Amino acid sequence: MDQRDLERMLADLPLGQIRYFPKVGSTNDLASRFAQAGAPDLSLVVADEQIAGRGRLNRRWVTFPGAGLAFSLVLRPENLPIETSSRSDAWDRHTNLSRLTALGALSVCETLNEALPAMLPAQIKWPNDVIATRRKLAGVLVEINWSGDQMKSAILGVGVNVTPQAVPPENELDFPATCVEEVIGKTVDRWSLLHAMLNNLLEWRERLPTETFMHAWQGRLAFRGEWVQITTDSGAPAETIDELEGQVIGINPDGSLRLRLRTGEVTSLQFGEIRLRQIDRPSK
Ligand code: BTN
């Protein structure tokens, strides 16, 4: 792949400027700089290898050459059919972040589900991971550049493990991982996958504020009805880490996760410094 081939391959999609790099630190960083320099809506940064990629909660995300997909899209607020001012009562920063994160995760799920048996769906592990066979194969990192209450641009970054070489060693994982080829059971062309994901993303972006979007998001939510443990990690000393167990009910329109606690009380958790893992049953 090179700049010219990528442009040719994506020519039928209404993207902004396209940048291909054989090796980068983080495509989100480059896309952010690109956005600050005035890159138009839907400009795209793609890298074959990423050596300083990151995920939520400052986790490392490495992309080995030839093994995965690492790309970041510049989204401009004037082209987003949602409220992008955080002054509004109905929409705040969390809502923007979770809708756009869901946009990325849903597009990855829908693309993979075209190739997966219905019994093995790709699902969204709230808030930003894509899992299949209960193992993670992709992650989404949205970073928003605000000017006061107004969104200037959002960078939607997606990392996908495509081949087995993309899967980090087990001792480096805090959630089990897999890759697209392992789940689908055959080799996959990374670039066709990229094209299909972008195509899905463009379609879902038009439907961001709709019931259809909400319904698709809920439908892809992993662990519904199951027990999960939520860890709230503020990054502060260990004593301040809270643990909560509950049954996953669904997602609220603002993107928060609805959980039923052991007491029967229903609570909503905001997208934030939160980790989620499935557990067999509530501990005593
Ligand atoms: C996560 O697992 O928390 C999200 C991982 C997101 C990784 C992608 S790869 C492309 C883009 N560039 C980055 O530095 N991160 C995202």
Side-chain angles (χ1 to χ4, degrees):
M1 183 55 67
D2 60 21
Q3 174 74 32
R4 199 131 47 92
D5 284 346
L6 186 67
E7 280 176 9
R8 211 174 295 138
M9 206 202 70
L10 301 176
D12 61 323
L13 299 177
L15 297 170
Q17 294 167 8
I18 296 174
R19 295 277 183 276
Y20 174 80
F21 297 92
K23 184 173 179 173
V24 297
S26 154
T27 56
N28 263 33
D29 286 345
L30 285 185
S32 177
R33 263 184 259 151
F34 201 19
Q36 278 163 36
D41 187 41
L42 293 174
S43 290
L44 175 71
V45 175
V46 179
D48 182 39
E49 181 180 5
Q50 199 179 221
I51 54 173
R54 52 174 190 279
R56 241 171 37 91
L57 308 174
N58 266 327
R59 292 187 191 120
R60 246 159 58 90
W61 181 278
V62 180
T63 308
F64 298 108
L69 281 174
F71 63 93
S72 302
L73 265 181
V74 174
L75 302 176
R76 292 287 180 192
E78 53 277 20
N79 296 85
L80 289 172
I82 51 173
E83 174 61 63
T84 53
S85 156
S86 64
R87 230 176 292 141
S88 142
D89 284 348
W91 286 82
D92 62 13
R93 293 181 182 217
H94 279 124
T95 310
N96 279 297
L97 209 53
S98 31
R99 277 273 158 150
L100 295 177
T101 302
L103 171 64
L106 187 58
S107 310
V108 174
C109 285
E110 300 266 309
T111 304
L112 296 179
N113 283 340
E114 284 158 21
L116 284 171
M119 294 294 290
L120 289 178
Q123 292 181 306
I124 301 173
K125 173 177 167 279
W126 184 88
N128 71 318
D129 291 339
V130 175
I131 62 170
T133 62
R134 297 189 168 245
R135 285 172 296 158
K136 174 165 171 173
L137 51 65
V140 176
L141 178 67
V142 173
E143 294 174 309
I144 299 183
N145 174 17
W146 294 96
S147 169
D149 291 319
Q150 295 298 322
M151 186 190 293
K152 297 280 280 181
S153 62
I155 307 301
L156 194 164
V158 179
V160 186
N161 298 335
V162 179
T163 75
Q165 290 72 39
V167 182
E170 220 152 293
N171 61 352
E172 289 179 18
L173 297 172
D174 57 10
F175 192 84
T178 186
C179 63
V180 176
E181 290 190 349
E182 192 181 337
V183 175
I184 294 185
K186 58 178 186 199
T187 56
V188 166
D189 176 42
R190 277 189 298 158
W191 307 113
S192 309
L193 205 59
L194 173 67
H195 185 286
M197 281 175 188
L198 290 169
N199 200 25
N200 263 308
L201 199 147
L202 293 176
E203 285 177 12
W204 278 112
R205 179 167 93 144
E206 298 311 310
R207 289 179 270 173
L208 262 183
T210 65
E211 271 302 311
T212 317
F213 183 88
M214 231 19 251
H215 188 255
W217 186 5
Q218 300 266 13
R220 296 274 170 236
L221 181 64
F223 310 130
R224 268 174 100 162
E226 294 184 46
W227 285 87
V228 296
Q229 184 183 65
I230 303 279
T231 313
T232 313
D233 180 355
S234 61
E239 309 85 73
T240 64
I241 295 179
D242 280 336
E243 272 181 11
L244 195 71
E245 288 176 357
Q247 232 175 346
V248 176
I249 306 178
I251 302 171
N252 295 311
D254 69 355
S256 55
L257 182 73
R258 241 183 5 265
L259 276 188
R260 181 173 293 106
L261 305 179
R262 268 193 290 161
T263 55
E265 184 198 339
V266 173
T267 189
S268 293
L269 292 164
Q270 279 289 358
F271 187 115
E273 307 295 292
I274 270 176
R275 295 159 209 259
L276 176 152
R277 71 180 182 90
Q278 191 257 335
I279 52 176
D280 289 339
R281 59 190 154 73
S283 52
K284 292 248 158 40

